[in-house]
Amino acid sequence: MIVADNETAVDLLYYEAIAKTVVRLVGEKSDEPLSVGVHGDWGAGKSSVLMMVEEAFSNDDRVLCVRFNGWLFQGFEDAKAVLIETIVEELRRKRPTSQKVAEQAKRVLKRVDWMKLARKAGAYGLTLATGIPHPDTIKELGEAARSLLGKGAEDVSPENLAALVKGSDEYLREVAEESAPEQMHAFREEFAKLLQDAEIDRLVVLVDDLDRCLPNIAIETLEAIRLFLFVPRAAFVIGADEGMIEYAVRQHFPDLPVATGPASYARNYLEKLIQVPFRLPSLGYAETRIYVTLLLVLNVFGEESDEFQKLTALAREVLRRPWKGPGLDRKAVEQALGGVPVEVERAMELAGRIAPILADGARGNPRQIKRFINTMMLRLAIAEERGFRDELNISVLAKIMLAERFAPELYDAMARGSANTGASEELAALEAVVAAPPSDLETKSADGKTTGPSTETSLPDWPNIEWAKQWAAIDPPLAENDLRPYVFVTRDRRSVFGAVTSLGELDELVAKLQGSPLQVKQAAAEVARLQSIEAEQVFDALRAKVRDAEDLAQEPVGVKGLAEMARQHPFLQRPLLSFVQDLPVSKLGPWAVSGWASVFSETDVASDFATTLKGWADQDDNKPLKAAASAAMKLSSKRKRS
């Protein structure tokens, strides 16, 4: 039903060319230390490239390829030690019968143990002068010391604790006689000897998901890689977004100047560490069209099918020179498959329609495109289970989802406009303007109504009208379709439709309550006349609108309307307070503090809001909110005293 959203060796984008280039580079520089960066945004395909590199080395017994995911080891204290231990363990596993490898591995791991104890000594306040650890860390210090003092010593007891600390202290004194650079040189020499004993011509470490790690873990892993930059035969291939790594550098070294010359210090750090950078390209129109086609065919036929395999081979040939055409050629597909199955025909047609906007809206990101396709297929499956799959046209659904994903204001307007009859007059006017010259326009909607000519000036005042016109030009037109089942199946994106569908004639009141303070005040009498069930429906619609607001630093549209609803219908005060309390504190602007005194008239609700106000005043995550809440509390206290 859906395509797995994880790294894969199934190459739908011809990234094999990048993987082969990395493999060739590693092979050509086999005696030299090497670091290669595979850069790209989240979801660009970095992990898949690393998987292809790993697969290319899988049959070479003299190459050790180690996969290290820094994100998985984020809970460890010392990412540097974990990385080195992972490599050593893989070497042991590669040569399980070699005694020389086992002995040399112990020497290398002893250096790692020293790193661990030195780290703990610094963290715990153990000094060479006193040898006194913090009481809370004695157990961990003892474990680290036992590792150095004999591997298997008895558990630390109060009687031998002093001796253990003294032994640890003496070891640190002994190590201190060698400088840190000497320790690093010794580590590199011992590790190079380990590779020689293991008869490994090339160590290839694939570091993945580094840009998902917390800044300190990312930096520790990079520092561990730096240890190997002078170890012959060691190569690191690092998959990460440069922007996230630069952010980690800035967070870890906050006192560094912003820039030096044309580049930032963070960029210089990254460039010194990574010798050869590769940047995964964003998908253009042709690549997006091919990718969408392959995903749809994969969804129908499966990875092992003859249709998918032949189509993938054909796509690879086209992707060698994507600038030469718009994508897969129907004649070539017919020759490759011995005909064009209906499912492939539909996939190619749909891909051709949505690729232009999908390529632009998703910024050529493969994961975003894949998630779009998966979401669409999942919604079709839900519709099938509910029994109305036959009422959905996949092309119509895809077009609506483009608006949902890339122009939410357009989607919301379409949802509200089609709530009662399934037809949207604004949408019909938009499609009419795009389809024909203004003088020839006459629109017909799904309910059979015919309207007069539409012009550019009659279009709705949407903030992204140029994008909307480009979207409206995509086939098929939507004005003659009943949009209600489509909006229903996509309503997880916007909850406005679910509330508005049952409002009917109350739509106008909801619009007034989303207007200016004056409009809300003028609607007070109309609000007061509402029955309880009607008031609750209007309240739910407004609450959904506020919940969908992306910017809570400024007062969202609909808040004044919610306040008026609760003022006129006291039973809504408690739901309103709960809603306000659930808003994310870190994103709230000072507006959230004021204006509630006349709203929360119920004693218990007013008391609970006072508690909420105090909580805002006591928190430190949002300074403007804290200041506003503190000022509001002082003003309230002053009023009570007077």
Side-chain angles (χ1 to χ4, degrees), residues 475-587:
D475 284 332
L478 303 184
E480 297 184 8
N481 290 274
D482 184 348
L483 300 182
R484 286 174 294 184
Y486 296 97
V487 179
F488 176 83
V489 82
T490 60
R491 66 178 182 176
D492 57 301
R493 172 63 180 86
R494 295 279 167 178
S495 58
V496 175
F497 180 73
V500 173
T501 52
S502 61
L503 296 184
E505 60 186 20
L506 297 177
D507 285 352
E508 186 177 346
L509 176 58
V510 172
K512 291 177 183 177
L513 293 174
Q514 294 177 36
S516 66
L518 179 60
Q519 287 177 302
V520 173
K521 187 175 182 180
Q522 290 173 342
E526 191 175 350
V527 169
R529 290 195 297 268
L530 292 175
Q531 299 294 321
S532 295
I533 186 64
E534 294 173 328
E536 192 168 356
Q537 289 174 331
V538 172
F539 180 86
D540 287 343
L542 290 170
R543 181 170 54 182
K545 182 68 177 179
V546 176
R547 184 183 290 115
D548 285 339
E550 296 180 358
D551 182 15
L552 293 177
Q554 304 297 324
E555 182 178 305
V557 172
V559 169
K560 289 288 192 297
L562 282 174
E564 189 61 37
M565 291 296 303
R567 188 180 290 110
Q568 300 295 337
H569 299 274
F571 77 94
L572 294 174
Q573 291 184 24
R574 176 60 65 181
L576 177 57
L577 175 59
S578 298
F579 175 67
V580 172
Q581 291 172 331
D582 288 341
L583 294 174
V585 174
S586 61
K587 297 181 180 180

Side-chain angles (χ1 to χ4, degrees), residues 77 115-126 140-141 143-144:
E77 289 186 31
M115 293 179 191
K116 289 181 179 179
L117 184 57
R119 176 189 175 94
K120 290 178 182 290
Y124 297 159
L126 174 65
E140 291 182 344
L141 178 62
E143 291 173 353

Side-chain angles (χ1 to χ4, degrees), residues 64-67 83-96 101 198 200 203:
L64 175 64
C65 197
V66 180
R67 191 83 177 267
L83 174 59
I84 298 171
E85 287 176 336
T86 300
I87 295 171
V88 173
E89 288 303 319
E90 288 296 327
L91 279 166
R92 280 176 164 176
R93 192 174 292 111
K94 187 85 170 180
R95 301 288 187 262
V101 171
I200 294 296
L203 167 67

